[in-house]
Amino acid sequence: MGYSWEIKHLRVSQSIRRKTAMCHHRKSVNLELLRNFMLIKIKEDIQMAENNQYQQNRVTTSGCTMFDENGVMLRMGFLDDGLTLLFGEPKNEGGSRSYPQEQRVSLILTTDRAAALYEQIIVKKVLPALEQGEEYNGGVFLNRRKDAILELRVQAGDIYLTYHKGIDESRVAKEVHIFKFSKTQIIENYAPDGSTFDQSDVEGYFILFCKYLDAGIYDINNSSAHAYRHANYYTTNKIFRYLEGLAAKLGVTVENRSYQTGASMNNGFSQSSS
């Protein structure tokens, strides 16, 4: 009986050892899979973070949309590091108005051309012409081929934005899209009893367009983004150091450690001590 008990005990022990070995094996396999997954993810995340400042993604943002008295639509927006304008001609059917794709046309305004339009055309020419009741027209070429012009025109106290597209050798445009800036009524000197007040029209839409140009020139140059990056540099750098330390413990070699030295913040330039 003692012998059979020993055999039984041996079989149980062997079974326990086999199950234990299988558990250890599964645990080892799971840990190895987890380790490999973490190695890949950490390496990808660090590489993406390091290269993020050099990678350009196509980013579009829609801004304000305006409509003139004829129903023409003007949509302001941004594309990557440029400003965009979209003109839309209305289509009226069954008492409803729509703007089909084939009746829309868009353009890209680079920051240098936006700055020239704002400072040289609007500030120095358009606004004085409005104040003095004079007529004026001027604009900027939209490309080096000089076959497209964005023009501002002051006529009879009204302001028009005109897109001349497809200009040929004779300087005639194949397409012309015109948006008339509507006026906004304001009220002043309003008496509490409503007996007297002064009412006048101001260039509300045009002011909005000017603010759009000014904000685009300012923001696309990344001054706000730089201020944010500078304010959060300590926290960002701390996170990168933590990830690098974790990667080192897992046996991952991380190259290009410029984010620690601040070179990425200075675009390769170092501050002089003199």
Side-chain angles (χ1 to χ4, degrees), residues 150-174:
L150 185 64
E151 175 199 56
L152 281 166
R153 176 163 50 93
V154 180
Q155 183 177 348
D158 292 318
I159 309 174
Y160 300 84
L161 181 68
T162 306
Y163 177 30
H164 302 272
K165 182 181 179 182
I167 300 175
D168 57 23
E169 295 179 355
S170 61
R171 312 312 301 166
V172 177
K174 296 180 181 178

Side-chain angles (χ1 to χ4, degrees), residues 232-244 259:
N232 290 275
Y233 177 61
Y234 172 78
T235 302
T236 304
N237 191 45
K238 188 175 181 181
I239 293 173
F240 279 137
R241 287 180 180 274
Y242 172 78
L243 289 175
E244 187 184 49
Y259 58 85

